[in-house]
Amino acid sequence: MLESVLVLPKDINDYRPFVGDQRIDEIIAQAAPLRGARVLHLNATAYGGGVAELLSTNVPLLRSVGIDAEWRVMPGGPDLWETTKAIHNLLQGASIAPSSPEASSESIRHRNRRRSIVAPWTPEMAAIWERYNALTAELFDQQYDFVVVHDPQPAGVLHFLLQSSPKASSTKWIWRCHIDLTKARPDAWSFLRPYLAPYDASIFTMQEFVKSDVPTPEVALIAPTIDPLSAKNIELSPSAISEVLHRFGIDPKRPILTQVSRFDPWKDPLGVVDVYKLVRRTVPGLQLLMVGSMATDDPEGFKYFELTARRVGEDPSVHLLTNLSGVGSLEVNALQRASSVVLQKSIREGFGLTVAEALWKARPMVATAVGGIPLQIASGQCGYLVSSNRECAARVQELLANRSLAKEFGTNGRERVRANFLTTTGLSDYLQLFNGLRAQASARVSTFSASRSRL
Ligand code: UDP
């Protein structure tokens, strides 16, 4: 049996204050034809990163509207995580060049062409991935109406299940891709693609991520969403925020620049430090918080934590905070709320839940215009989209100096998230997809454009 992940119960009615009675009633009506349906979400890890964050809300909310939803994880080990990290990096496309204060995105792109830090996809990696996927199929012993398989890690499970028992069941299989595939390396995509062929549908965050040769008959667009009632996003009292700042030695009277992200080259932690150093020239009291949990399936985390610490050097105004130093969801929440400006300096980003989280907390953002970030940040309305460290630093300085603009951005950002990226929207999108697949709609399913307000 595949390991099951326990989730805390949630009640859809608790979300009425955020989105209104009409929206909640619509969702309950959408779920009615699916009452009792068995749904499995299958992914690689129960902790760390955006997928685990999403499932910890989506699964209990599906249950709350009468669906028999489960979350299970595939078996794993260091060899699988090394391998799946490699395919993840290859599917994200380019490699990373080290950041410098002078580095523009153009020069980064130029250096990427010359220097690759990602290894090519090898037969040995393929064998490890296949072995774990075959094992996942062996442990798969339940019947479901819908199975949603997240990302490349367990994507081969259906292939191996079909090898042992050719498809006769009525289960609808859905592959949910959280990755920005726009620059996917052909070797990785052509390896993965045949394993996706037997799926009934795939889900991508944005139209731009959909490869032209996606083999599934249906394609849905569903953006990730955040839970306003999770420990990560719930309202906090000023004293709760102060307590967290005090605990980590952060001065609430001085400006705070924050990035919440795993220590991962794609999140450009070194670039964050460089931007801080640039801003500090004119804002000497600035503090930098880099908050990054160590996901169990992310072997690079410790390496990039160390690299980041080295780039920081001896600077008591910089705080590198992880789950290992006591940062859980509540602490992330408090640190985001205490921030004067929030950064998201990703080089690639499937979506970036951290962006929606900061916008929801009415924080002004400065972020790179990559992947799913522009979907969330309307530049000049709730933050700034930037393409170089210098531009990033200049925008941070502007927002630190102009607090009324920062406040206006914050208010706009919160409303944008309310309209588009709260978990009720994500739930509704899934229900629409399940209903559509049940009805065997022949047209391509596009839940995103149907349910989301105009961005
Ligand atoms: N996160 C966290 N603690 C940390 C760093 C990140 O809980 O120290 C959370 C973050 O708040 C967000 C998720 O992990 O909910 C990261 O999701 P995102 O989509 O931003 O990035 P991913 O890690 O999936 O690439």
Side-chain angles (χ1 to χ4, degrees):
M1 185 182 272
L2 290 167
E3 189 189 331
S4 171
V5 182
L6 287 178
V7 289
L8 294 174
K10 290 186 187 282
D11 184 343
I12 186 72
N13 292 301
D14 293 341
Y15 294 78
R16 290 181 185 273
F18 299 103
V19 293
D21 287 336
Q22 190 189 336
R23 187 75 187 106
I24 299 299
D25 292 342
E26 280 166 12
I27 291 172
I28 291 170
Q30 252 187 317
L34 295 161
R35 182 159 279 278
R38 292 202 68 190
V39 171
L40 172 68
H41 280 288
L42 176 65
N43 82 322
T45 175
Y47 177 74
V51 179
E53 186 75 22
L54 283 164
L55 295 184
S56 62
T57 288
N58 185 270
V59 169
L61 277 183
L62 282 169
R63 288 179 187 165
S64 154
V65 294
I67 289 164
D68 186 2
E70 288 179 16
W71 172 11
R72 292 182 185 272
V73 288
M74 72 186 297
D79 53 347
L80 176 71
W81 297 329
E82 288 287 348
T83 301
T84 54
K85 186 79 194 183
I87 197 166
H88 183 103
N89 284 340
L90 292 165
L91 288 170
Q92 288 211 121
S95 53
I96 319 289
S99 184
S100 77
E102 281 69 43
S104 67
S105 57
E106 195 45 54
S107 68
I108 288 172
R109 275 198 291 276
H110 181 70
R111 271 181 287 153
N112 278 345
R113 280 199 287 273
R114 288 184 286 133
R115 180 173 173 275
S116 170
I117 64 161
V118 288
W121 186 243
T122 63
E124 291 74 27
M125 288 173 174
I128 292 168
W129 182 87
E130 283 168 348
R131 181 159 51 80
Y132 276 100
N133 273 273
L135 180 60
T136 306
E138 263 173 49
L139 297 171
F140 199 101
D141 60 356
Q142 306 282 313
Q143 281 295 322
Y144 299 95
D145 297 293
F146 302 96
V147 179
V148 186
V149 177
H150 293 260
D151 279 341
Q153 294 96 324
V157 62
L158 178 55
H159 166 88
F160 289 103
L161 274 173
L162 290 173
Q163 278 196 339
S164 55
S165 60
K167 199 176 185 182
S169 81
S170 59
T171 309
K172 298 289 180 196
W173 283 79
I174 301 152
W175 183 59
R176 203 310 179 205
C177 178
H178 295 271
I179 302 172
D180 173 354
L181 293 183
T182 43
K183 304 266 169 34
R185 297 243 314 231
D187 52 348
W189 175 243
S190 57
F191 170 78
L192 189 63
R193 190 180 171 277
Y195 290 99
L196 307 177
Y199 282 80
D200 298 286
S202 47
I203 305 174
F204 295 87
T205 297
M206 298 167 72
Q207 184 62 47
E208 289 83 339
F209 297 176
V210 182
K211 305 288 291 175
S212 57
D213 58 350
V214 166
T216 59
E218 302 286 347
V219 175
L221 300 180
I222 299 180
T225 49
I226 61 162
D227 181 357
L229 289 174
S230 68
K232 179 76 52 74
N233 298 310
I234 201 158
E235 290 298 321
L236 293 179
S237 67
S239 63
I241 297 171
S242 301
E243 186 279 318
V244 172
L245 295 185
H246 179 74
R247 193 162 11 119
F248 292 107
I250 300 158
D251 183 350
K253 297 198 188 64
R254 288 162 52 200
I256 298 172
L257 180 65
T258 301
Q259 176 161 298
V260 176
S261 277
R262 290 177 292 107
F263 288 93
D264 177 310
W266 299 106
K267 310 285 185 182
D268 198 15
L270 302 182
V272 170
V273 176
D274 294 340
V275 165
Y276 158 78
K277 287 181 176 174
L278 284 171
V279 180
R280 202 188 42 181
R281 288 181 193 164
T282 53
V283 188
L286 185 66
Q287 301 169 92
L288 174 66
L289 314 185
M290 296 184 70
V291 184
S293 63
M294 302 293 186
T296 44
D297 65 343
D298 182 5
E300 284 181 325
F302 290 97
K303 186 171 122 200
Y304 277 88
F305 179 86
E306 201 181 321
L307 281 176
T308 308
R310 230 178 276 152
R311 180 71 64 106
V312 171
E314 289 294 326
D315 184 341
S317 296
V318 179
H319 301 265
L320 305 186
L321 305 167
T322 73
N323 51 324
L324 305 179
S325 52
V327 178
S329 294
L330 209 78
E331 285 77 11
V332 171
N333 187 345
L335 297 170
Q336 285 170 327
R337 285 180 192 279
S339 302
S340 319
V341 176
V342 175
L343 288 181
Q344 192 60 50
K345 260 197 92 331
S346 306
I347 290 166
R348 287 274 193 288
E349 192 60 79
F351 181 70
L353 282 173
T354 47
V355 174
E357 289 164 5
L359 294 178
W360 179 243
K361 292 165 187 119
R363 298 297 88 205
M365 292 218 53
V366 182
T368 40
V370 299
I373 294 177
L375 190 64
Q376 303 182 69
I377 297 178
S379 197
Q381 284 177 29
C382 50
Y384 285 120
L385 296 176
V386 295
S387 56
S388 72
N389 287 353
R390 281 202 183 284
E391 193 189 354
C392 185
R395 290 304 197 183
V396 172
Q397 277 159 349
E398 180 187 338
L399 289 168
L400 289 175
N402 188 345
R403 296 315 289 163
S404 69
L405 182 68
K407 193 155 184 254
E408 183 190 322
F409 278 11
T411 308
N412 295 344
R414 184 170 168 94
E415 288 317 306
R416 195 172 165 85
V417 172
R418 187 196 305 281
N420 300 287
F421 303 116
L422 288 188
T423 188
T424 39
T425 301
L427 176 66
S428 171
D429 288 346
Y430 268 107
L431 294 173
Q432 186 171 341
L433 174 62
F434 295 157
N435 276 319
L437 287 173
R438 266 241 168 121
Q440 286 293 326
S442 53
R444 284 167 89 82
V445 181
S446 179
T447 59
F448 181 82
S449 51
S451 65
R452 208 166 294 271
S453 78
R454 266 190 86 204
L455 292 170

